[in-house]
Amino acid sequence: MEWANVILQGILVGGLYALFATGLSLIFGVMRLVNIAHGDLIVLAAYVALLCVTQTSIHPLLAIFLVAPVMAVAGYGLQRILFNRTLGADLLPPLLVSFGLSVIIQNVLLQIFTADSRKLSAGAIETATLPIADGLAVGVLPLLMFVAAVAIIAALQFMFYSLPIGRALRATSDDPEVARLMGYDNRHLFGVAMALSLAVVAVAGVFLAVRANFDPALGPSRLIYGFEAVIIGGLGNLWGTLAGGVILGVAQAIGAKIDPGWQLLAGHLVFLAVLAFRPEGLFPKVDG
Amino acid sequence: MPEKRLLDIRNLDAFYGAFQALFGISLYAERGETLAIIGANSAGKSTLMKAIVGLVTTRNAEIRFAGGELAGRPTQQIVREGIALVPEGRRLFRSLSVEENLLVGGHLHRPGPWSLANVYDLFPVLREKRHQPSTSLSGGQQQMVAIGRALMANPDLVLIDELSLGLAPIVIRDIYAALPRVTAAGTSAIIVEQDTSQALAVANRVYCLRGGRITLEGTPASLTRDAISAAYFGV
Amino acid sequence: MSAPSFHIARSTPESRFALVIGLLALVALVAGPYWIDRNGMRIVGEFLIYLSLASMWNLLAGYAGLVSVGQQAYVGLGGYFLFAWAILFGLPPLLAIPFAGVAGAIVALPVSLLVFRLKGAYFAIGTWVVAEVFLLLAAQISVLGGGSGISLPISVVRAIAESRDGRDMAVYWSTLGVAVAILIGIYLLLRTRWGLALQAIRDGELAAETSGVSVATAKRLLYVVAGAGGAMIGALIFLAKLRISPSAAFSVNDWTAFVIFITVIGGIGRIEGPIVGTFVYFLLRGLLADLGPTYLIILGAVAVGVMLFAPKGLWGLVADRFGWQLFPVGRRLVLDTSASAATSKGA
């Protein structure tokens, strides 16, 4: 039963990793941009949540409803003011600009909040468990994170495939020039995509803040988890990203059980193994 | 009379970077007309279409459309004035189905005669394939989708670039057979073609391009084969 | 009517001037220990280290289009190689440097097989993951200090040289030697057939491929060379520091972020870029280092600004304006006409 618990924990943490990854995946799908500052934006969201909670005393999980709009607006601005200028044929500008942004965000947070570890307390939810079988119990908070991940991915899929804005985003992703012929304003649509991505980042950031200690330097490792989840799951497929996150979470959980120092290494090794033997990922979207 | 003209282009120069592709183009289209623009490969026909919708840099140009000036404005604004381009090579959206491609074409919801139902009436085969990925269709069917997608915007003027490129003769014939219904519904058309015979058959007036310049214009009836050959090939 | 006579020239007036200056500077640097004080030698050493790292990163990103955010993997590898060599095997420390290079190359080859499966920005993050893996593995090696690191034992320190001044000179000259070798190596590489291939790849990968350049081989070669160079530099860095830990050895900030900023600000895709960039970096550091995190914010903002508004970097701006090339890697057609030498500057 102990192993079953371990694996269950891994699966639920996988939901959080999928949340880290979903925003990344969305942006890459729509505009082929890989935002190296993505992890730092998750940490930024955590600090925004911190501010909301300290200023308004609301429950951290409810802070999502404050943080998400703030991050979405910030994302729209970021895209239109900064990233739209970097998009084009050349690979270097978006990559280097987002790398520079990553360093800037980390150090701005460091300057304002210092390197002290913070954490948001969600009260009783943090330790509550639901027993599901003999000797098997699942934490309420991890379950909530997993359910949130599933719900968000389902909502995004619905948007992409059943709503006009989703069609617009897919069309712009396919052929930005012809999308303009349809009357779409690419600059605006890319801004919308980034706003969506950062709204998801906001949810991830709040969960990050509640789940464990966080500090300004945590960004890059979140980026790496998200990136590994995307690659393991396969590009172009949001549900695949969920699967990738789960696999990563389970690998880390098993690694940790064997030896605490092996937790992160186990995840990286699984990623490298997928890269070596199935580089297209486990559930890649087959392009038509 | 110039005021009646739907599209009035004067002195258009077009550039790809430093390379000049069009030299002092002046042409016009009247409301309800079907114009044909013929010419050999790289004569500048596609460049002209792209210049009208703002996808190519122009200089010194006056591009009057339905009273407003188009030159220098961004593509997404020009298109909203009521011009639609069916690009060379179709360029359907790969991850969208047939119907989704059509819906995207109509997302501006401009009032007019064209709707999903009417496009399916025009090209019935598309109705059967409406939910299939656009990439699974044959070349001719894709061209129908591309034309339908442009019509869904209810444009006053539709530009069709290289209509018959890469299509089998029987398919070309079918598409051209549908064109009169397009103009009958009130949509003016400019058709760019390397294949002159079909174009001349449907057009009210013809322009011939060579080396980025207009070498001939007139009605199909008034132009001799020799004149057209000379203008087309330059011999 | 005879065709005009011409000859192919490689050097330019500016490059000949730069060559003279460079040789003078080299002589001055070699004589360094005799006229520069201890602190100054340390700074010169750091300058050369960043110049070398930036030049190699420039080679990867600016010529082969390989944006690696994980070169710190090789810096750390070199550092740990040195410590293992000296502590575990008791071999002469200075001798570790060239062998660290070999180790770097040997490791870089299989790593390239993995990471080259990723493209573009995903490649970048992939290299970062590899560096993280190296960091975690190093933390597992308890004989070398595990997670908290280890200092070089006195016996090993003495093995470098008996006196402190002697050690300073040994480290200084080793650093100078390796840095000069790397820079000259890069310059010579770009003058050869391979260099032409790399510049073709830089200017247009697809066109280069169809012109017969084996793009994949060129990239792999470069990545391995960068791995070797990075490892040698890493050995030098930690030879000077006398202490190593996983977080210092594999630090993204120290060995990648600053390097990237240097190259971007100086100018990607030209040899002179990293030189200019390193000067700017040390200037900014001298002015701003007291400001703590603000210093990095400013550096990051400058890099972002340069990338957006002057993507060819400071050197690129100046060089394109005046047509300078200090390290001539192209060939120019010089017409020998009596009226004037009508030169057209090549790439």
Side-chain angles (χ1 to χ4, degrees):
Chain A
M1 267 303 125
E2 218 179 301
W3 277 102
N5 247 325
V6 164
I7 293 182
L8 188 57
Q9 294 312 314
I11 292 176
L12 295 181
V13 147
L16 185 61
Y17 291 161
L19 273 180
F20 291 161
T22 298
L24 204 61
S25 195
L26 202 161
I27 292 298
F28 185 76
V30 171
M31 52 183 127
R32 303 287 173 285
L33 172 74
V34 176
N35 183 4
I36 295 202
H38 184 81
D40 304 286
L41 288 165
I42 295 176
V43 173
L44 177 67
Y47 277 101
V48 172
L50 178 70
L51 282 176
C52 285
V53 167
T54 51
Q55 299 299 328
T56 66
S57 305
I58 68 171
H59 188 272
L61 291 181
L62 291 180
I64 290 180
F65 297 103
L66 290 176
V67 178
V70 166
M71 294 295 291
V73 168
Y76 188 84
L78 191 65
Q79 183 65 37
R80 292 213 63 161
I81 298 174
L82 194 64
F83 283 127
N84 272 349
R85 284 184 212 266
T86 66
L87 292 175
D90 196 357
L91 168 69
L92 280 174
L95 218 154
L96 295 175
V97 164
S98 64
F99 184 77
L101 187 65
S102 165
V103 170
I104 292 174
I105 293 178
Q106 277 182 53
N107 284 281
V108 166
L109 290 175
L110 200 55
Q111 188 79 329
I112 299 177
F113 295 102
T114 80
D116 292 342
S117 262
R118 317 278 179 139
K119 187 176 173 312
L120 287 180
S121 169
I125 291 188
E126 285 181 45
T127 45
T129 57
L130 280 176
I132 37 176
D134 211 19
L136 203 60
V138 63
V140 168
L141 190 58
L143 185 62
L144 205 58
M145 288 194 254
F146 189 85
V147 167
V150 171
I152 287 177
I153 292 180
L156 284 173
Q157 291 285 103
F158 174 75
M159 181 209 69
F160 271 118
Y161 291 99
S162 306
L163 293 183
I165 183 73
R167 273 198 297 274
L169 288 171
R170 280 187 297 140
T172 307
S173 158
D174 278 346
D175 196 332
E177 194 177 58
V178 176
R180 286 157 66 196
L181 282 178
M182 303 291 110
Y184 287 129
D185 185 351
N186 291 354
R187 299 163 309 173
H188 168 69
L189 283 175
F190 288 158
V192 169
M194 185 58 89
L196 279 171
S197 172
L198 289 203
V200 178
V201 159
V203 177
V206 170
F207 280 133
L208 177 75
V210 169
R211 181 173 174 254
N213 289 333
F214 65 97
D215 65 74
L218 219 54
S221 46
R222 309 305 111 175
L223 170 71
I224 287 182
Y225 295 155
F227 160 72
E228 290 181 335
V230 170
I231 297 293
I232 293 174
L235 284 172
N237 184 350
L238 286 181
W239 291 119
T241 301
L242 179 65
V246 165
I247 291 172
L248 185 63
V250 170
Q252 284 191 355
I254 294 178
K257 188 84 172 85
I258 297 176
D259 180 325
W262 275 85
Q263 177 185 350
L264 298 181
L265 210 45
H268 292 324
L269 291 178
V270 166
F271 161 75
L272 290 175
V274 170
L275 195 57
F277 301 114
R278 209 177 140 87
E280 67 275 12
L282 297 177
F283 311 102
K285 184 165 187 153
V286 183
D287 241 349
Chain B
M1 272 162 287
E3 307 84 56
K4 257 188 53 193
R5 292 178 187 174
L6 182 60
L7 177 69
D8 203 345
I9 299 176
R10 313 259 173 102
N11 295 320
L12 187 149
D13 293 330
F15 293 83
Y16 289 106
F19 171 73
Q20 184 162 6
L22 295 176
F23 301 83
I25 301 282
S26 295
L27 64 78
Y28 68 92
E30 311 235 348
R31 220 172 262 282
E33 269 196 314
T34 300
L35 227 56
I37 301 187
I38 60 177
N41 235 342
S42 62
K45 313 186 297 298
S46 291
T47 308
L48 179 57
M49 296 297 101
K50 290 184 188 170
I52 295 174
V53 292
L55 287 176
V56 161
T57 323
T58 61
R59 261 177 240 176
N60 312 318
E62 279 175 45
I63 308 178
R64 286 242 165 65
F65 179 74
E69 177 62 53
L70 296 184
R73 291 170 66 188
T75 306
Q76 56 266 23
Q77 274 183 36
I78 293 176
V79 162
R80 281 158 194 260
E81 297 290 337
I83 299 187
L85 172 65
V86 182
E88 183 185 353
R90 272 78 74 183
R91 290 177 76 177
L92 299 181
F93 296 115
R94 281 190 324 272
S95 33
L96 271 52
S97 67
V98 166
E99 181 150 307
E100 286 179 317
N101 267 281
L102 295 175
L103 287 173
V104 160
H107 86 97
L108 289 172
H109 294 297
R110 282 184 100 234
W114 296 106
S115 65
L116 213 50
N118 292 348
V119 169
Y120 287 143
D121 278 342
L122 187 65
F123 298 121
V125 67
L126 297 185
R127 186 181 278 120
E128 298 155 29
K129 299 191 179 274
R130 64 204 293 183
H131 294 303
Q132 287 187 21
S134 57
T135 46
S136 65
L137 270 56
S138 71
Q141 291 161 351
Q142 289 193 21
Q143 186 65 291
M144 293 179 197
V145 176
I147 295 174
R149 182 178 66 179
L151 292 176
M152 286 288 291
N154 281 307
D156 296 317
L157 175 64
V158 65
L159 312 172
I160 309 181
D161 195 354
E162 296 287 7
L163 197 159
S164 60
L165 196 63
L167 300 182
I170 191 170
V171 173
I172 299 173
R173 215 193 53 206
D174 285 344
I175 295 182
Y176 269 103
L179 279 186
R181 292 183 53 187
V182 171
T183 39
T187 316
S188 314
I190 298 182
I191 302 175
V192 163
E193 266 294 10
Q194 283 182 52
D195 176 350
T196 52
S197 49
Q198 285 282 10
L200 290 174
V202 295
N204 301 117
R205 271 183 316 114
V206 177
Y207 286 90
C208 183
L209 246 58
R210 195 180 79 247
R213 294 177 169 80
I214 295 185
T215 49
L216 189 68
E217 65 179 280
T219 59
S222 67
L223 299 174
T224 65
R225 289 195 69 173
D226 288 344
I228 295 176
S229 273
Y232 197 105
F233 295 109
V235 290
Chain C
M1 192 170 113
S2 59
S5 67
F6 62 89
H7 66 273
I8 308 284
R10 299 212 73 169
S11 59
T12 67
E14 298 82 23
S15 76
R16 287 188 281 273
F17 177 70
L19 183 61
V20 171
I21 300 284
L23 286 174
L24 288 175
L26 187 58
V27 169
L29 284 178
V30 170
Y34 302 109
W35 63 277
I36 310 176
D37 72 354
R38 192 158 186 258
N39 200 39
M41 274 170 53
R42 197 178 48 81
I43 292 184
V44 170
E46 245 194 292
F47 184 97
L48 292 169
I49 280 173
Y50 273 110
L51 179 57
S52 307
L53 288 174
S55 298
M56 288 189 288
W57 194 86
N58 186 26
L59 204 56
L60 280 177
Y63 288 88
L66 293 172
V67 180
S68 166
V69 186
Q71 291 311 99
Q72 67 271 21
Y74 299 102
V75 171
L77 177 71
Y80 271 96
F81 182 87
L82 168 75
F83 274 58
W85 172 276
I87 299 178
L88 300 181
F89 295 103
L91 296 166
L94 287 175
L95 216 48
I97 296 166
F99 286 99
V102 173
I106 291 177
V107 169
L109 193 54
V111 168
S112 74
L113 292 174
L114 271 179
V115 291
F116 277 27
R117 288 166 188 256
L118 297 166
K119 295 278 171 265
Y122 282 138
F123 167 80
I125 306 181
T127 59
W128 200 343
V129 174
V130 168
E132 286 297 303
V133 171
F134 283 18
L135 189 155
L136 291 168
L137 288 175
Q140 296 290 331
I141 305 177
S142 32
V143 288
L144 288 177
S148 33
I150 198 172
S151 296
L152 219 45
I154 308 283
S155 53
V156 174
V157 174
R158 289 250 175 76
I160 303 174
E162 270 300 323
S163 69
R164 196 189 68 171
D165 283 345
R167 281 192 294 279
D168 284 350
M169 288 200 277
V171 170
Y172 175 83
W173 277 324
S174 308
T175 308
L176 182 60
V178 170
V180 168
I182 287 178
L183 287 173
I184 293 187
I186 290 178
Y187 174 51
L188 290 179
L189 173 69
L190 289 174
R191 278 178 72 113
T192 65
R193 215 166 39 100
W194 276 115
L196 202 56
L198 285 172
Q199 290 180 77
I201 295 174
R202 176 193 68 188
D203 292 338
E205 196 168 309
L206 193 56
E209 183 87 59
T210 55
S211 301
V213 175
S214 170
V215 173
T217 311
K219 289 184 172 183
R220 183 146 298 152
L221 177 72
L222 262 189
Y223 186 79
V224 169
V225 165
M232 287 198 285
I233 297 288
L236 282 167
I237 291 171
F238 291 98
L239 186 64
K241 284 186 192 261
L242 302 178
R243 184 185 158 72
I244 201 170
S245 70
S247 50
F250 298 100
S251 160
V252 168
N253 260 358
D254 290 334
W255 315 127
T256 285
F258 290 143
V259 169
I260 292 181
F261 289 156
I262 285 175
T263 315
V264 166
I265 294 174
I268 296 183
R270 294 174 211 236
I271 303 183
E272 302 87 345
I275 300 176
V276 171
T278 312
F279 273 115
V280 171
Y281 167 73
F282 272 84
L283 188 68
L284 283 178
R285 198 174 82 168
L287 290 173
L288 301 173
D290 295 336
L291 298 177
T294 311
Y295 163 56
L296 272 170
I297 297 174
I298 295 178
L299 203 59
V302 170
V304 168
V306 166
M307 207 62 224
L308 288 178
F309 302 114
K312 293 194 180 157
L314 293 178
W315 173 256
L317 270 182
V318 166
D320 281 354
R321 175 101 168 56
F322 299 111
W324 290 342
Q325 198 180 77
L326 298 183
F327 284 81
V329 290
R331 293 165 173 80
R332 295 155 39 234
L333 194 64
V334 180
L335 292 175
D336 304 322
T337 61
S338 47
S340 59
T343 62
S344 63
K345 297 206 172 176

